[in-house]
Each structure stands twice: as structure tokens, then as C-alpha cells.
Amino acid sequence: MSRDICVHTWPCSYYLELEKQWVPGKLSLTSLSLKFMTDKTREILVNFPLSSIVEIKKEASYFIFSSITILEKDHNKHWFSSLQPSRNVVFSIIEHFWREMLLSQSGAAVEESSSPMTKGKELTGLMACTQKRLEDTARVLHHQGEQLDSISRGLDKMESDLDVADRLLTELESPSWWPFSFKLWKMPSETKPKWDASMASSKAFGKEGIVIKIPAVISQKTESHVKPGRLTVFVSGLEIHNSDSLLMHRFEREEVDDIKVHTPYEISIRQRFIGKPDIAYRLISAKMPEVIPILEVQFSKKIEFLEDALMLRSTRTSPLAEKGYSVWHAASGLLDRAMHCEPSSGNQEGSPLQLQMSEPLISEGDSQELRQILRKLKDLALDAESELERQDEALDGITAAVDRTTLTIDKHNRRVKKLT
């Protein structure tokens, strides 16, 4: 997926230094650059990468008009004013993406200085990202399995309670002269403590199961009031914190009513209520493309991709995936071609082209690391497959238990009506 995607556009005015005048237009922010386009002529007056920015400040032009100034490395200073919806909103979002760009560049610079980027390292990085995504999915799947186990234990307790109700009803239905009625009285004291302990352990797991944590620019009621903070995705829900690490709101997994993906970098989360206002948050983050696939797994029936975000799904599907190939087969084939590349035996002179072809595309160290990652991916996939099969069996057992419990409750209701 191309990283240079439009994040947001704001109406504003740009100051032309040569002509000494303000020009109305629109300021557009992408994940890599900033540009300004005029309204009348549609001419792009400013277009520079975020990596060239040295400083972003809030200033006032002529000591009256609030503005944002951006200083580049070549000492070019750009003035933007009349920003809508407000100067603070535009400043917070641009500064967030600029800082994330600097952090990503510093990490990339350290990696490049330590070792040159090769095809093997690129493939290793791709497979490592795939492994992390599969681990996140497996964590969510594991939590889902624990919830199903909790439901099964709850149904077992319910059936045990219904057995008690059956004995009590039999006692009430029996005549007073029936000599064996006292033997029907039996309390199931052994089932309750185990169920309570298991439920407590499940809740404790949900609180600690952090999937991913990213910085974000957060707005709640209107777009004119934003604040920096972070979004934390748990296996049991979502949490939104401000810049001081204070909890603003926690969404339990079942409390989230809908998640809308506006762009690959912007989402909104809402919880509906009857008789009072909904709770809704809008979040913009440079790291949001890493979170959206996880939200797709957790909230598959509640997430909605709007028109501007549909490119996220279409571009995320690779040509190999469209043809039915898996990452395992693609990487294995590339490894085989790279490691079995040998010089031609027809010509013994060895031209430069032949020497270049005789060198492997991937080094021995990279190939060993790739094989380890592929083995982990295979183990994770097999574990996920077995967990899904176990959950399918658990769902069948839950369905059968619900049917039995429903029939038993109807039967007991009829018996109670006869007694009353």
C-alpha cells in the first residue's frame, strides 16, 4: 500500500512573500508531505515532504491573526492562517504526523547504518510483520475460546441448578405419605466455587491482554476540540487515554456499537444509548494502519469502511493472494530459487553477468532467519486451526446445552403452574 495517502484537508490562507498578500485555498496533509492548492487557479503553491520540516510553531501575523508557521531545512518559512475548524486542530494533527515521521526515520537510519538493506532483509521484515499480525489474531482467538468455555461452564451450572429445581418440584409433587421423598433432597454445593474462580480468572486475563498501543489525536464532541493521547487495544475492549496517561473512556468489547474507518489513518468509535447522548470518539494516528486489521478481527460485524477508506482493503490484498497463493508458498519458493542459484556450466570464462547471476539473492544468515520465521508461522497457523476446530465443537455443545436447558425450563414452568 502506498504510504502517501491524504490524511486530511483544511481550508486556510497562505501568505505569498513576494506579492505581500494572503491567498485562499486548501492545505492537504498526507502521511509523507504537505501541500497547499489555491481555490481559484487550482495551482499548487507549496509541496514539501514532512522530513524537510525543522520546526512547527503557533504564531500571530501582524500580532492579530492566529497562524501556523512551518520552517524547512533550507530556511524557507511558510505562513498559514484562517485555519478551519481551528488552528489548534490543524497544528495538533500536523505535529503528530511530523513527530511520527521523525521517529520512523530515526529507526530506519539506525537499521540502515548497522547493515545495508537487501532483498533478504526486506523479506525478513515482511515475514516478521506477518508473524506479529498472526500472533495478535491468535491472542484474540484465544480470548474468544475462553469466553466460549465460560459460557459452557455457565450452562453446566444452569443445568445443575435445574436438577435441583427438578428435585424440589418432585418433592412438592409427592404426597405427604410417600416414604422416599427425603432422599430426593440434595444440594449441589460442589459446583459453585469452581465456576466463580474460572470467571474471575477470565476477567483478569481480559484486563491484561494488551494487543497494541498507539499514539493518536483524539476528538470527542466536535472536530474543533482535539487533544493528543493514545489508543490501547485489549482482547476485551478498547481504552482511550489523554497525554497524561489518564483514562478518558473504556469501551468493553460488547459495548462498541459501530466503528467507522474514514481513512486509513482516521476512525470513529461509538457506543449508543437510549434516552441520553451517545459516547463517540474520533481518532487520527500515523500508526492507525497497524490497528485497523486487528479491529477487523475483533469487531468484524461492527466495523464499516467508508468510501475514502476502501483503498485500504483493495491495496492490502497482494497479487499473490488474489491468485490463491499463501505467504508460506511464496516465501518458500523464493528461498528455493535464491539458495539454488548456481553458475552456468556451459561457459568457463565467467562474464560479469554470469558472476552476478551466480551470487545468491539471499544470504545464508537471512535464509536461516526466514526459515525460523516460517516455522513459527506454520506452528501458529496449526494452533489457530486446532483452536478453531475446538471452538466449533464447543459451539455445537453450547447449542445442544441451550436446547436442553430451554426444554427443561419449559417443563418446569408447566409443573409450577400445576402446583399453583
Side-chain angles (χ1 to χ4, degrees):
M1 181 179 67
S2 177
R3 294 181 58 199
D4 201 11
I5 300 174
C6 184
V7 177
H8 219 293
T9 301
W10 303 278
C12 69
S13 298
Y14 177 72
Y15 185 70
L16 288 175
E17 185 69 28
L18 297 177
E19 301 180 8
K20 304 296 181 182
Q21 67 175 356
W22 291 91
V23 180
K26 289 182 173 61
L27 177 64
S28 298
L29 169 69
T30 70
S31 57
L32 297 175
S33 63
L34 267 176
K35 70 177 181 178
F36 177 84
M37 179 183 293
T38 61
D39 288 336
K40 289 184 178 180
T41 61
R42 312 294 294 176
E43 180 184 359
I44 298 177
L45 298 180
V46 174
N47 190 3
F48 54 89
L50 295 178
S51 56
S52 67
I53 297 177
V54 176
E55 185 182 43
I56 302 177
K57 294 177 63 177
K58 297 179 184 178
E59 296 188 35
S61 59
Y62 302 106
F63 303 101
I64 298 175
F65 305 105
S66 61
S67 305
I68 292 177
T69 60
I70 299 177
L71 182 64
E72 289 190 82
K73 291 179 180 179
D74 54 4
H75 303 290
N76 288 334
K77 192 172 185 179
H78 306 279
W79 288 76
F80 301 95
S81 186
S82 302
L83 296 158
Q84 298 178 12
S86 70
R87 179 180 68 170
N88 292 332
V89 172
V90 180
F91 177 83
S92 299
I93 296 177
I94 293 177
E95 186 188 35
H96 167 78
F97 277 84
W98 175 52
R99 291 184 182 277
E100 291 299 323
M101 170 63 68
L102 293 179
L103 291 174
S104 62
Q105 280 189 343
S106 62
V110 171
E111 185 177 356
E112 289 179 1
S113 61
S114 61
S115 59
M117 182 60 68
T118 61
K119 292 293 183 181
K121 292 188 179 299
E122 290 180 4
L123 185 57
T124 303
L126 176 63
M127 300 302 294
C129 292
T130 304
Q131 179 185 348
K132 183 179 182 301
R133 186 68 46 78
L134 189 55
E135 287 174 352
D136 295 338
T137 305
R139 193 178 296 114
V140 175
L141 188 63
H142 173 70
H143 179 66
Q144 179 176 296
E146 287 202 345
Q147 289 179 327
L148 291 176
D149 294 340
S150 175
I151 293 173
S152 299
R153 289 189 291 267
L155 288 171
D156 292 340
K157 182 179 182 298
M158 189 179 295
E159 289 184 354
S160 176
D161 293 339
L162 288 174
D163 291 339
V164 176
D166 178 65
R167 287 191 289 270
L168 292 174
L169 287 172
T170 304
E171 178 74 17
L172 292 173
E173 291 171 347
S174 301
S176 57
W177 50 267
W178 186 250
F180 305 104
S181 59
F182 68 92
K183 295 183 180 179
L184 299 172
W185 188 273
K186 187 178 180 182
M187 293 299 294
S189 58
E190 68 277 6
T191 58
K192 186 175 180 180
K194 296 181 180 179
W195 186 79
D196 290 341
S198 61
M199 288 295 293
S201 64
S202 177
K203 290 182 178 180
F205 172 82
K207 292 288 185 181
E208 299 174 358
I210 297 178
V211 179
I212 192 171
K213 184 189 300 182
I214 62 168
V217 179
I218 305 163
S219 61
Q220 185 175 5
K221 295 181 179 179
T222 61
E223 293 185 1
S224 59
H225 296 85
V226 300
K227 59 181 68 176
R230 73 170 187 267
L231 170 67
T232 305
V233 180
F234 294 84
V235 291
S236 59
L238 307 172
E239 283 188 1
I240 299 175
H241 295 78
N242 60 13
S243 57
D244 297 327
S245 299
L246 297 177
L247 179 64
M248 297 175 61
H249 189 75
R250 176 180 172 86
F251 293 94
E252 296 296 338
R253 189 170 179 177
E254 61 275 4
E255 293 176 351
V256 177
D257 290 319
D258 62 68
I259 297 177
K260 292 184 179 180
V261 182
H262 302 274
T263 69
Y265 299 94
E266 183 176 3
I267 67 171
S268 60
I269 308 169
R270 182 171 60 169
Q271 179 183 1
R272 292 191 179 95
F273 292 95
I274 298 176
K276 61 179 182 178
D278 299 342
I279 297 178
Y281 286 90
R282 200 177 182 107
L283 300 98
I284 300 177
S285 175
K287 302 291 186 181
M288 196 62 72
E290 301 177 11
V291 177
I292 293 176
I294 300 173
L295 296 179
E296 280 190 88
V297 176
Q298 285 189 311
F299 307 95
S300 58
K301 296 182 180 180
K302 299 178 181 180
I303 193 168
E304 177 185 0
F305 285 81
L306 302 183
E307 184 177 358
D308 294 338
L310 290 177
M311 65 182 72
L312 181 68
R313 275 186 165 180
S314 60
T315 56
R316 205 169 58 206
T317 304
S318 63
L320 288 176
E322 293 176 357
K323 293 180 182 179
Y325 293 98
S326 64
V327 176
W328 172 269
H329 290 93
S332 299
L334 182 57
L335 278 174
D336 292 338
R337 290 196 302 270
M339 298 306 297
H340 293 86
C341 185
E342 298 178 354
S344 176
S345 59
N347 190 359
Q348 301 294 332
E349 294 181 358
S351 63
L353 179 61
Q354 290 176 342
L355 291 175
Q356 184 178 1
M357 291 298 295
S358 64
E359 296 178 357
L361 296 175
I362 301 176
S363 64
E364 183 67 27
D366 291 338
S367 65
Q368 293 295 331
E369 186 175 357
L370 282 171
R371 293 186 190 279
Q372 291 179 0
I373 296 177
L374 287 172
R375 279 193 289 268
K376 292 180 181 179
L377 285 175
K378 185 176 181 181
D379 294 338
L380 285 171
L382 292 175
D383 291 342
E385 183 180 4
S386 61
E387 177 65 18
L388 283 173
E389 292 177 355
R390 189 190 70 82
Q391 291 185 17
D392 288 339
E393 295 178 357
L395 283 173
D396 294 338
I398 289 173
T399 302
V402 168
D403 293 338
R404 290 194 306 269
T405 304
T406 303
L407 293 174
T408 305
I409 291 175
D410 293 339
K411 179 182 176 181
H412 289 353
N413 286 335
R414 291 192 298 269
R415 296 170 66 183
V416 170
K417 288 180 180 179
K418 288 181 180 181
L419 290 173
T420 56

